Amino acid sequence: MKTDALIDLLSRDTRRGPPFGRGAVVALACALIAAWAGMLLTIGVRPDAAAALETVRFMLKFVVTGALAVAATWFAVRAGRPGARLAPAAMALVAAAAILVGAVVVELAVVPADQWAARMIGTNAMVCLMAIPLLAIVPLGAFLMFMRRGAPASPVLAGAVCGLAAGAAAATAYAAHCTDDSPLFVALWYVLAIGLVTALGALIGSRALRW
Amino acid sequence: MRAANAGNEGAYRALLGDLAPLLRKIAAQGFSRAGAGNADVEDVVQEVLLAVHLKRHTWIETEPFSPWLHAIARNKVIDCLRRRGRRVVVEIEDVAHLLAADPVPDATVRRDVKRMVGSLNGRQRDVVGMISLDGASIEETAGRLGMTEGAVRVALHRGIAALSALYGKAQL
C-alpha cells in the first residue's frame, strides 16, 4: 500500500475510543465487583466478620490488598502507555509491599516466637491458594481487555501487572472470608496466590497483548 | 494531534503526512544501528502510522507528543527486526525462491494493497477497499453498500485494526 493512500484511509476513520486511563478505573471497578460477588455467592463472608472488623489484623488485610490493587492498576496504565515512565508507579507498588513488610515486622515483635510457625501456616492455606486465583479469573479478563487497548512495550510485563492487579482485587474479597488474619499468613499464602495469578497474566500477556 | 482528537479531519491528515518523513528517518536510523538494510523501512513507517492511529487514545493531550511517538516507533522497529531475524533463519529458502520467481512489483513497498485488503473479511474488505482503492467517501460507501454511515465507520475502524494485525504477521 502506498503510504499516502494509507494516510488518506486513516484520516477518514474518525472513531476514537475513550481515554486509556479511564479504562483502568472501569477495569478495577469491574474486577472488585466480580471478585466480591464471586466470594459472596460461593464461600461467603466469615461468620464472625462483624467482630473481626474491630481487629487491626483483619482490617490490615484489606489495606494491604487494596493498596496493592490500586498501585498495580496505576502501574498497568503506565505500562500500556508508550513512553510513560514506570518508576513512579513502581514506587507505589513498593510502598504497598512495604505496608505488608512493616506489618510482618510488627507481628514478629508482638507475637512469641513459638507461635510464628502456627500463625504463618494458618488453618486454611489450601483454600486461600485455590480461592484467590479462582476469584481472580474474571478480574484478570477485565484487566487484559483493558490492556488490549494499550500499547505496552513489553507484553509480558503488561500481562504480569494485569495479573497482579487481578490477584490483589480477588484477595480483597477473599480476605473477608479468610479467618487467618496474621500478617505472617498474608505474607506467605496471599502473596503466593497473587503470584500465581501474576504468572498466569504474564503467560497470557506474552501472546494476547502484542499489538 | 490535539486538533485531530477534537475531530478535525484535515489537521489529522496533515499531521500523519508530516509524521511519515520523520518516521522514515527514525526507522532508517533504527535499522542502520542494528546493522540491517533499509528494505522494510516503508513497511515500518506504515505500521507506526497504523499504531499511532489505533492507539491514539493512549496519548495524554497535556503531555508532549514526541516521547509517545518515539516509543511507538521504537517498538515497531524492534518488532520488525525480530521478525526479519526469524524470517532469515527459518525461511531463507522460501524467500529466495519467491524473489527469483516473482520480482517485487513496487520498488519501495513490498506488500500488495489489493492482497492485504483482500485478506480482510466480508464487510471490512468492501468498506476498506472502496474507501482506499476507489477513494469513495463514507457517504458514498454507505450508499453503494446499502449500509448506514455509522455501520461504515465501524467496519472501517475494524478493518484498519485488522490491517494492522496483518502487518504484524511474519510474512505477507
Side-chain angles (χ1 to χ4, degrees):
Chain A
M1 188 181 286
K2 291 270 197 288
T3 302
D4 291 344
L6 179 70
I7 288 172
D8 187 55
L9 179 67
L10 297 181
S11 66
R12 312 266 198 106
D13 174 26
T14 48
R15 281 173 64 85
R16 194 172 75 96
F20 184 59
R22 200 184 301 165
V25 179
V26 174
L28 181 59
C30 289
L32 288 172
I33 291 168
W36 278 82
M39 181 274 293
L40 291 171
L41 291 172
T42 54
I43 51 183
V45 174
R46 59 193 264 186
D48 63 339
L53 278 176
E54 286 164 23
T55 68
V56 176
R57 288 191 180 87
F58 185 63
M59 293 310 292
L60 196 70
K61 293 198 294 187
F62 299 103
V63 173
V64 169
T65 54
L68 190 60
V70 171
T73 303
W74 190 36
F75 194 105
V77 176
R78 294 196 161 231
R81 191 168 262 160
R85 286 178 58 236
L86 294 177
M91 286 310 294
L93 279 176
V94 170
I99 300 174
L100 181 58
V101 171
V104 166
V105 170
V106 173
E107 181 82 342
L108 290 176
V110 299
V111 172
D114 59 350
Q115 287 180 28
W116 288 355
R119 291 212 173 204
M120 189 166 75
I121 288 156
T123 54
N124 54 5
M126 288 306 122
V127 180
C128 173
L129 275 188
M130 300 262 289
I132 289 180
L134 286 175
L135 290 173
I137 291 174
V138 176
L140 181 58
F143 279 108
L144 289 172
M145 272 172 61
F146 150 73
M147 191 58 90
R148 275 187 62 81
R149 294 190 66 232
S154 162
V156 175
L157 177 67
V161 75
C162 283
L164 184 61
T172 64
Y174 177 72
H177 166 83
C178 167
T179 51
D180 291 302
D181 294 341
S182 169
L184 299 179
F185 183 89
V186 175
L188 179 58
W189 301 106
Y190 278 51
V191 168
L192 213 53
I194 294 171
L196 280 175
V197 186
T198 306
L200 180 65
L203 189 69
I204 299 174
S206 69
R207 289 156 192 278
L209 295 178
R210 301 227 185 101
W211 49 281
Chain B
M1 191 62 164
R2 270 174 209 112
N5 279 351
N8 185 336
E9 196 182 309
Y12 190 44
R13 189 186 307 251
L15 168 76
L16 294 177
D18 289 346
L19 289 186
L22 173 66
L23 293 173
R24 234 163 254 140
K25 211 158 64 184
I26 294 174
Q29 277 171 1
F31 282 156
S32 75
R33 208 172 303 140
N38 273 349
D40 296 329
V41 163
E42 203 60 23
D43 284 350
V44 172
V45 170
Q46 295 185 0
E47 274 193 71
V48 177
L49 287 171
L50 277 161
V52 164
H53 178 70
L54 292 169
K55 302 295 184 185
R56 62 202 195 277
H57 54 260
T58 64
W59 174 62
I60 306 175
E61 301 215 343
T62 51
E63 300 264 309
F65 183 69
S66 174
W68 180 83
L69 177 72
H70 276 84
I72 288 184
R74 193 167 53 238
N75 274 319
K76 287 297 179 189
V77 168
I78 292 170
D79 277 358
C80 181
L81 288 170
R82 274 196 201 133
R83 264 204 314 272
R84 199 180 339 182
R86 213 179 298 148
R87 198 154 63 199
V88 169
V89 171
V90 181
E91 294 159 17
I92 190 147
E93 285 168 10
D94 291 354
V95 172
H97 169 74
L98 281 175
L99 287 176
D102 180 22
V104 181
D106 189 307
T108 51
V109 186
R110 308 206 288 177
R111 290 171 219 258
D112 177 23
V113 56
K114 285 214 177 109
R115 213 168 54 176
M116 284 197 71
V117 174
S119 47
L120 296 175
N121 59 26
R123 269 288 132 99
Q124 293 173 3
R125 183 180 57 223
D126 298 341
V127 168
V128 175
M130 222 168 255
I131 290 174
S132 70
L133 300 177
D134 308 350
S137 69
I138 302 271
E139 295 77 22
E140 284 166 1
T141 308
R144 270 198 258 169
L145 293 175
M147 298 165 73
T148 65
E149 286 181 22
V152 169
R153 287 178 202 280
V154 170
L156 173 61
H157 187 76
R158 297 216 175 122
I160 288 172
L163 271 183
S164 175
L166 287 176
Y167 273 84
K169 301 255 169 74
Q171 76 259 42
L172 243 168

